[in-house]
Amino acid sequence: MEAPPTAPPPPTAPVPLGALLPDRELGLRRLAGPAEADVHGVHASEMADPSPYLLGGELLLTAGAGLGADPDGYVSRLAEAGVAALGFGVAPVHEQVPAGLAEACERHGLPLLEVPPGTPFSAVARTVWRLMAGARTRELRRVTEAQQSLAAAAARPDPVPAVLSRLAASLGGHVTLRPDDRSAGSPPPAEAAAALRALLARVGRAGGPATATDQAGGWHLTAHALGGPAPDGLPVPVTAPGPDRPTDPGAAPAAEPGPEPVRALGTATPARAPGDHTIASVAAVLLTLLTAHLPAGPEAAALTRLLLDGDPAAALSPGPWHVVHARGAGDPQALAAALGTVLVDPRGDRVRLLTEREPGARPGWRLGVSAPAAPDALPTADAQARRALERAEAARTPLARHAAPGFSGLIGEAEARAHAAALLAPLSPVLRETLRGWLAHHGGWDRTAAALGVHRNTVRQRVARCAELLGRDLDDPDTRMELWFALRREEPPQGPGG
């Protein structure tokens, strides 16, 4: 009975290098290297080797003070650091772009732009940030509109094909639902279609990923398992001969037992936008609910309200409700009947239940029971029941109830570390160390730089990169608090890392 999770915002889209060249106020001119590149930021440096201070994807601006007599080595270091393009400002150091620099950029495939004397580097940076902000706003609007249209499609009389059709239109590609063999959108080339089938076969199995991505034939492919992973090797029912089913010598042999098909959603698109994963994830949640075997009667009505309104309080009676996590060898449906509920969610070796009855111990089962909760507090109660089951298993008792007061009862250490790992996953050790120091010094650039032994501009660039990778506003006090607690839950990095 969980509401579909709110998907995170899409990452910031890069700025195509070609979007900067038509700007007459900047007056940039490409002299060498590829015409296309994705710019993720701007950095200015006169160092002979600025690579230790780069994250990759930057438009590096320089007047050539640190160029030296080896332009090929300079460009080689930039290319290895993943610089998107080099912008060379002519005057006051060089009256024109050195020929050797243009030749080196051509050899190493690094775009080289000439920045005229009347264009400040800050104007170039401001234009890049403005274009990035505009792209992010447009992508957020596209994702929001896609989410709304998918929810509307889920409410139609035939919701599954409606959701698939809407998803294909939102992504501008092809989508397929297996093993139902339902699809929508223009089919991809044969090479991409074969790769998508292989990708769909990987997800959802025990020990396998829940989602996977690939590329083939120039198309971008994704696969999302709908629901929890299914164990490999589940037998498919085989009809045996009997009094009512005599053996037919001419009939085809019965199918051998094999893995149970896993329901999965696949997408194939000729291009990939930052918000595509968010849109596909929302569709996967909707299709999971729409294709599951749902109970009839009031429970089906409750799930429908939950799907359309996203409000547990509107879907359930006032309660109070108990969330139960259970592990045992019995039948989950029999356990649910004994606890007086049909709201049961078997997941692997664990069962989750929601009941208005006061749960008691049941033979063959070990139970963790939450505190009584109103419908709007069910996510907290779910966490309480999970931790209660962990205590019951550790103590080898048939039942444990949530009883911990204060903050210690709200979140367990394992949950906190798992949340911290997921939240901080996009950040390298260097970025985590910088973010930890910046938060510890209350956002002070100079004090953070002094503590880390780097320049204050390096701190600014790293913190900006953290905000970009996390998709968070670091000026928000709630965001700072959550990141601080996450950083406190992990060990500080032992060295400079990637």
Side-chain angles (χ1 to χ4, degrees), residues 102 125 146 155 165 188 236 243 258 268 302 322 352 369 402 417 476 478 484:
S165 178
V236 175
H322 298 271
R352 299 191 309 168
V369 181
H402 173 77
R417 290 189 179 277
D476 185 340
D478 289 337
W484 177 249

Side-chain angles (χ1 to χ4, degrees), residues 24 47 136 216 226 316 321 334-335 348 378 387 418 420 431 440 444 465 498:
R24 294 184 178 180
M47 299 179 64
R136 181 171 176 81
L226 304 186
L316 300 173
W321 292 86
L335 174 63
L378 290 180
R387 292 194 300 273
L431 292 180
R465 184 61 170 164

Side-chain angles (χ1 to χ4, degrees), residues 82-310:
V83 168
L86 176 64
F88 194 92
V90 294
V93 181
H94 295 268
E95 293 299 325
Q96 61 183 6
V97 178
L101 181 64
E103 294 170 358
C105 286
E106 192 68 41
R107 278 195 301 273
H108 292 280
L110 181 68
L112 174 63
L113 307 182
E114 178 188 75
V115 183
T119 300
F121 284 177
S122 60
V124 178
R126 188 178 303 157
T127 300
V128 170
W129 300 131
R130 175 176 56 80
L131 292 173
M132 291 180 70
R136 181 171 176 81
T137 299
R138 290 190 296 273
E139 191 65 5
L140 284 170
R141 185 181 299 117
R142 183 179 79 93
V143 169
T144 300
E145 291 173 352
Q147 290 174 331
Q148 293 171 346
S149 65
L150 287 169
R156 296 184 60 178
D158 198 1
V160 172
V163 169
L164 292 175
S165 178
R166 187 64 258 168
L167 177 60
S170 297
L171 299 181
H174 175 81
V175 299
T176 184
L177 183 64
R178 295 296 175 89
D180 308 61
D181 286 327
R182 299 190 188 188
S183 61
S186 302
E191 179 185 354
L196 182 59
R197 287 193 295 271
L199 201 65
L200 287 166
R202 287 177 49 199
V203 298
R205 296 290 178 189
T211 62
T213 62
D214 197 1
Q215 292 188 42
W219 282 58
H220 300 263
L221 315 174
T222 69
H224 298 253
L226 304 186
D232 286 328
L234 281 179
V236 175
V238 177
T239 302
D244 301 324
R245 295 179 298 276
T247 301
D248 181 358
E256 292 294 327
E260 184 179 88
V262 175
R263 183 163 278 110
L265 170 68
T267 71
T269 55
R272 183 164 178 80
D276 285 355
H277 179 75
T278 301
I279 295 171
S281 297
V282 171
V285 172
L286 290 171
L287 290 168
T288 297
L289 295 173
L290 292 170
T291 58
H293 297 292
L294 301 180
E299 289 73 30
L303 286 173
T304 301
R305 289 194 298 272
L306 186 59
L307 172 63
L308 299 180
D309 301 333

